[in-house]
Amino acid sequence: MSTPVVASPEGFELPEGQRRVIRWMIYLAFFALSIGILNGLGQALNYARIDILQYFPRMRTYHQGLTVHGVVNAIVFTFAFSNGFLALTTARALARPLNGGLLWAAFGSMVMGFLLAAFAMATGRASVLYTFYPPLMAHWSYYLGLALLVVSTWIIAVALFVALAGWRGENPRQRIPLLAFISTATYAMWCLASIGIAVEVVALLLPWSLGLVENVDPLLSRTLFWYSGHPIVYFWLLPAYVSWYAMVPKHAGGELFSDSLTRVVFVLFLLLSIPTGFHHQYADPGIATGMKAVHATLTFGVFFSSLITAFSIMYALEIGARRRGEKGLVSWFLKLDWKNPALLAQILAMLTFTLGGITRLINASYNLNQVIHNTAWIPGHFHMTVGSAVTLSFMGIAYWLVPYLTRRELVGRGLARAQAWLYALGVLIMARGLISGGLNGMPRRTLIMEAPYDDATWRLAGMLTGLGGTLMFVGGMLFFFVLVGTALFGKKMMGTVDIPFTVTHEGPATTGWAVKLDRYRYWVLATIILILIAYGPFLVSYLPGNFTSPGYQLF
């Protein structure tokens, strides 16, 4: 029996104050993205040996620009969007307002964190990239700013789980609405995953940057970073998955295959996202090879949930196309509603993510990782995941979300469709350039145009990278044009407006094992046990650490 993924499908009106603060979170996210895309053009053209970075105001070095590009795109943009979007989906799914004070506190924490980190980056005191590996040292305001951005996600998590607890208290025998389950599961995973980076920043790097302690331990810091640094990928990706599961089927006119299977996917992400960080540290000494193998195995385990997702989404899309009258074996794909920019952008994001997922398996492979790890391959992979699956999905979501939040109709639907095609084409061309260059040893994190070494094979790769980056930049500017035009000049909507949500072909079970999927305490306990197995042996053998390295500021 088809079942809606929300508790009150007949409608729910979010209080105006909460819609306002969520709207500002989304605006902050896309403001950060605008800075990141502008900076990204300079980074891409660097590979084509075209220097426009010199024209950027207050830009002193290449690594300063690369730091800005990484922080605003990977941290500020994604955190702000997730905080706003999943707050909305949880409130709508439960048909229950969230705590308005917590929403504003989270927004204030985000703004303060953004300003502090921006001060450090703009003044050239934090050119340490978004990974901020010590012994590279940044200004204390950079670390405090990043900490406040993480705190904002914790505040949102409290708001979501307070609302969920209230709903369950009033509905003790009902299953959690699917949209609320997958939204809160995302934050449950991140709350456990962000402990590593919080400890690193607050206990190690902030006192070090303030001069309270003299030295730092690079290996311990890197391990704490990658404890959070790999699952942060899923914190970027899962809000897109929430849309792919709960909203894309509605856009396509289809329905979601299974309630239980969807919950299993998000439980797998909760269980397996965190104990995978050592696959980023294959070259690091001091970590046993056996533990690296454990993390590699679990990394491949996470891939299984992406395969289930591919099946579920393709099912929903095919159902939608066949309801539009298509009967062909594969031609149904062409029958989808390609004129809907919200659907178009997210399908293109899924297609580029297919290649991004495949390259992820190569990154996770021990021997192959040694070949490509410090090459342009990595940003090539990165732009087919966070640069497209996440960013292009968030753009597609914005094509209904901003009209919902502003009560104004989307303007420029044709431009929105052109934007999605241009951006996706740009990602593919740029990734082709970066990956081929990486296979031939073209380094990453390098000002190629001034490198004293060269290789003939890097030239075509560099030109493709520059061309693809330019197309992405044009696509990004078209997106902001549509977004601002909608917010300022869109036609006012009349009546009640709701978010798009789907129904499931198989509704939530009321008996049997599937009911236990809603019991978070089981999965959180199992996750903690897996974390202890994956990180316990290293920490027991390594602590209290080797705090012997002074700080350096090279850029």
Side-chain angles (χ1 to χ4, degrees), residues 314 317-318 321-322 326 328-336:
M314 290 298 283
L317 294 178
E318 183 173 351
R322 297 201 182 284
E326 180 56 45
L329 183 62
V330 295
S331 58
W332 61 266
F333 193 70
L334 302 177
K335 197 70 175 181
L336 292 168

Side-chain angles (χ1 to χ4, degrees), residues 99-120:
N99 184 303
L102 289 175
L103 292 180
W104 280 108
F107 179 68
S109 183
M110 275 192 291
V111 171
M112 185 59 69
F114 183 29
L115 291 175
L116 283 169
F119 164 76

Side-chain angles (χ1 to χ4, degrees), residues 64-318:
Q64 183 187 15
L66 190 57
T67 303
V68 173
H69 180 63
V71 169
V72 298
N73 278 343
I75 298 179
V76 182
F77 164 55
T78 54
F79 282 19
F81 188 91
S82 299
N83 283 348
F85 178 56
L86 296 188
L88 171 64
T89 56
T90 302
R92 176 61 190 92
L94 300 175
R96 185 185 185 90
L98 303 179
N99 184 303
L102 289 175
L103 292 180
W104 280 108
F107 179 68
S109 183
M110 275 192 291
V111 171
M112 185 59 69
F114 183 29
L115 291 175
L116 283 169
F119 164 76
M121 293 186 291
T123 55
R125 302 179 192 185
S127 299
V128 294
L129 312 185
Y130 96 96
T131 48
F132 49 87
Y133 291 150
L136 288 177
M137 178 188 280
H139 190 261
W140 62 265
S141 60
Y142 178 77
Y143 299 122
L144 182 57
L146 297 185
L148 288 173
L149 286 164
V150 173
V151 167
S152 77
T153 64
W154 292 351
I155 296 172
I156 289 294
V158 172
L160 303 193
F161 282 100
V162 166
L164 180 60
W167 184 89
R168 298 194 80 171
E170 297 170 359
N171 304 273
R173 296 181 181 177
Q174 294 189 32
R175 300 290 306 276
I176 299 173
L178 181 61
L179 181 56
F181 180 84
I182 60 180
S183 300
T184 52
T186 300
Y187 272 84
M189 182 280 294
W190 174 241
C191 284
L192 291 172
S194 56
I195 292 172
I197 201 168
V199 172
E200 180 197 9
V201 169
V202 175
L204 302 183
L205 301 186
L206 198 52
W208 177 55
S209 63
L210 287 167
L212 301 178
V213 296
E214 185 176 359
N215 296 319
V216 71
D217 182 334
L219 178 58
L220 181 59
S221 297
R222 280 170 57 85
T223 301
L224 289 169
F225 177 86
W226 284 115
Y227 171 97
S228 304
H230 188 72
I232 199 174
V233 173
Y234 304 112
F235 187 55
W236 301 332
L237 188 60
L238 289 185
Y241 271 35
V242 168
S243 175
W244 293 359
Y245 271 103
M247 294 157 190
V248 162
K250 175 71 173 181
H251 293 311
E255 61 186 23
L256 187 59
F257 173 61
S258 168
D259 177 285
S260 296
L261 192 61
T262 305
R263 291 178 202 255
V264 166
V265 166
F266 279 77
V267 167
L268 285 175
F269 275 116
L270 173 59
L271 289 170
L272 301 178
S273 292
I274 301 170
T276 56
F278 283 161
H279 88 257
H280 292 267
Q281 295 179 268
Y282 285 153
D284 284 16
I287 302 172
T289 302
M291 294 312 301
K292 293 176 182 176
V294 169
H295 285 234
T297 303
L298 292 172
T299 304
F300 281 94
V302 183
F303 188 70
F304 182 66
S305 54
S306 292
L307 294 177
I308 299 174
T309 299
F311 165 76
S312 296
I313 303 306
M314 290 298 283
Y315 170 91
L317 294 178
E318 183 173 351

Side-chain angles (χ1 to χ4, degrees), residues 1-6 174-178 257-261 263 503-511 514-515 517-518:
M1 178 180 175
S2 295
T3 306
V5 296
V6 301
Q174 294 189 32
R175 300 290 306 276
I176 299 173
L178 181 61
F257 173 61
S258 168
D259 177 285
S260 296
L261 192 61
R263 291 178 202 255
V503 298
T504 57
H505 178 71
E506 293 181 359
T510 54
T511 58
V515 176
L517 291 170
D518 287 5

Side-chain angles (χ1 to χ4, degrees), residues 17 23 51 63 119 129 262 266 354 394 407 443 502 531 538:
R23 184 167 68 238
D51 183 10
H63 289 91
F119 164 76
L129 312 185
T262 305
F266 279 77
T354 304
F394 288 3
R407 300 298 176 92
T502 188
I531 292 170
F538 167 77

Side-chain angles (χ1 to χ4, degrees), residues 512-530:
W513 64 270
V515 176
K516 294 182 173 58
L517 291 170
D518 287 5
R519 297 181 182 174
Y520 270 119
R521 60 181 180 277
Y522 294 162
W523 307 118
V524 169
L525 179 61
T527 304
I528 292 172
I529 292 172
L530 275 174

